Amino acid sequence: MDDNPFADPNQVNPFMDPSVTQVSAQSTTVGAGLDEPYDPYAEPATVSVAPVISHQTIPAGPTGGGYSAPGSAGGGYGSSATPPAYGSSFNSQPPRQYGNEETMHKQKLVEDEFRKREEDLERREHQLRDEQKRLEDARVYGDRVPNFPPIPKFFPCTPCVYHNIDFDIPPEHQLTVRRVFYHWQFTVFCYLFNFLVCFGMICSLGTSAGSAFGLSLLFAGLFIPLSFLTWYRMLYNAVRQDSSIRYMLFFFMYGFQIFVSGIAALGFNSGGFAGWITAFKTMEKNKVLGVLGIFVSLAWCLNCLIAVILIMQIHKTYRATGQSMEKASGEFAASAGSNRNIGQAVLRTL
């Protein structure tokens, strides 16, 4: 029944072509079992899975890196390599680092140096704060052991007062106080130089210069410590304690020192100072002592000039710091009121 009785036995069946029968056989294999009833207890059919080809970077062609067309010598779809996946790079080299490595290294060194300097500045700032606090505490609570004048330990006498400009005097006034201290040292030199010249006069001229020698010895022994206590120490404590009344006492005593220096520069006869008058009279008898007397006169003149300049500078400082006569009188009233004896004496006079 399958044969066609009307067909020509010599005619070739087009469906019997080998290519058609091969395709029909494959379709029958794939569709096998679709018409069969479903059995839930049957084992699942094994489905073969084609192997997954890993994505590889397409190698560069003869002309360089990049993607080559299919079928070309450099690769592509016609080659064994597969095209890259989405987001993959066509170049296996790492991305280029923009900027010079040496420049980046130098910049890092500079940053480290700045960081070290900043840490060093912070450390010094903490040290300065601690030192300032220590000095402030020592200024208020510390022991003020006398250290002036500097006397060797084997001497029987000891220093009298505590003297430390860097410790007691505020930084903005240290230069002024130090200049006055140098002037006091120069004043001591003038008194001692004057005494030596007068001593030479009594040795050379005899008893006629006795009064000058005696007074020069008295002035050197009396005015040297008094000058330290009356005007230099007065300024020292005035600046240290910010006291107007001590400033006023300093101006008075320093003015007296200027007057004494002027008298010493003139050098009246037998007055205890080898000034101009005494120097010229002594030159008639002893030229060497006369020349030394002229040097003493120049020293006293210079002493007087320095004192005038310093008192003008200190007066400007006195005004700039807000000191005045009213403040000095207020300090005096406060100190007098705190002392019972002085207060009672004032009440009795009233």
Side-chain angles (χ1 to χ4, degrees):
M1 295 299 293
D2 292 336
D3 297 334
N4 187 2
F6 302 101
D8 187 3
N10 296 326
Q11 186 179 0
V12 179
N13 188 0
F15 296 100
M16 297 304 292
D17 186 84
S19 60
V20 175
T21 57
Q22 183 179 0
V23 174
S24 300
Q26 292 179 357
S27 301
T28 305
T29 304
V30 173
L34 294 178
D35 298 334
E36 298 178 359
Y38 173 72
D39 186 4
Y41 301 100
E43 294 181 0
T46 304
V47 181
S48 60
V49 180
V52 180
I53 301 175
S54 61
H55 298 286
Q56 297 180 356
T57 304
I58 298 177
T63 58
Y67 175 74
S68 300
S72 63
Y77 292 122
S79 62
S80 59
T82 59
Y86 176 76
S88 61
S89 174
F90 290 105
N91 194 354
S92 60
Q93 297 180 357
R96 181 180 299 177
Q97 298 290 340
Y98 294 96
N100 193 354
E101 294 183 359
E102 184 178 358
T103 304
M104 297 174 64
H105 181 65
K106 290 182 179 180
Q107 183 177 2
K108 184 178 180 181
L109 292 178
V110 171
E111 292 177 357
D112 294 341
E113 184 68 21
F114 278 133
R115 190 180 300 108
K116 290 181 180 179
R117 290 184 180 181
E118 185 177 0
E119 293 176 356
D120 185 59
L121 288 176
E122 292 179 356
R123 180 178 56 81
R124 291 184 180 182
E125 184 179 0
H126 288 303
Q127 291 180 354
L128 289 176
R129 288 179 181 176
D130 296 340
E131 185 69 15
Q132 183 178 3
K133 186 177 183 302
R134 186 187 65 82
L135 292 177
E136 191 68 24
D137 295 340
R139 182 180 300 179
V140 178
Y141 306 107
D143 296 333
R144 302 176 62 84
V145 180
N147 60 354
F148 191 85
I151 300 175
K153 294 182 179 180
F154 58 85
F155 270 56
C157 53
T158 58
C160 303
V161 296
Y162 178 80
H163 180 265
N164 191 344
I165 296 177
D166 296 330
F167 184 80
D168 282 340
I169 306 303
E172 61 271 15
H173 301 301
Q174 288 182 4
L175 180 61
T176 302
V177 176
R178 205 178 298 276
R179 287 175 178 175
V180 177
F181 179 65
Y182 293 154
H183 177 242
W184 175 79
Q185 292 178 333
F186 183 66
T187 303
V188 173
F189 167 78
C190 291
Y191 279 116
L192 295 178
F193 191 20
N194 179 78
F195 167 73
L196 292 176
V197 173
C198 291
F199 179 75
M201 291 171 59
I202 194 174
C203 294
S204 177
L205 303 178
T207 56
S208 60
S211 60
F213 170 75
L215 290 175
S216 65
L217 179 61
L218 177 65
F219 294 155
L222 184 64
F223 287 169
I224 287 177
L226 285 179
S227 61
F228 179 83
L229 296 175
T230 55
W231 52 268
Y232 171 69
R233 192 67 181 179
M234 194 66 64
L235 176 66
Y236 185 93
N237 290 327
V239 176
R240 173 174 170 265
Q241 301 175 3
D242 194 21
S243 175
S244 294
I245 189 171
R246 293 182 184 274
Y247 269 110
M248 300 302 298
L249 293 175
F250 163 76
F251 288 133
F252 176 76
M253 301 307 301
Y254 206 53
F256 180 75
Q257 176 61 43
I258 295 174
F259 174 76
V260 172
S261 299
I263 296 298
L266 291 176
F268 293 104
N269 191 19
S270 300
F273 293 106
W276 294 108
I277 298 174
T278 304
F280 285 120
K281 287 186 177 182
T282 306
M283 190 175 292
E284 298 175 357
K285 301 178 182 180
N286 193 324
K287 293 184 179 180
V288 176
L289 290 177
V291 172
L292 292 176
I294 291 175
F295 281 116
V296 172
S297 303
L298 292 175
W300 282 115
C301 290
L302 182 60
N303 188 297
C304 184
L305 179 62
I306 293 175
V308 171
I309 294 174
L310 287 177
I311 198 172
M312 293 174 64
Q313 292 180 354
I314 297 170
H315 187 265
K316 291 181 180 179
T317 305
Y318 170 81
R319 290 296 185 186
T321 53
Q323 309 294 338
S324 62
M325 183 67 71
E326 291 78 8
K327 187 176 180 180
S329 60
E331 292 178 359
F332 177 76
S335 61
S338 61
N339 193 326
R340 178 181 296 182
N341 296 328
I342 297 178
Q344 291 178 359
V346 172
L347 291 177
R348 289 174 185 174
T349 56
L350 296 176

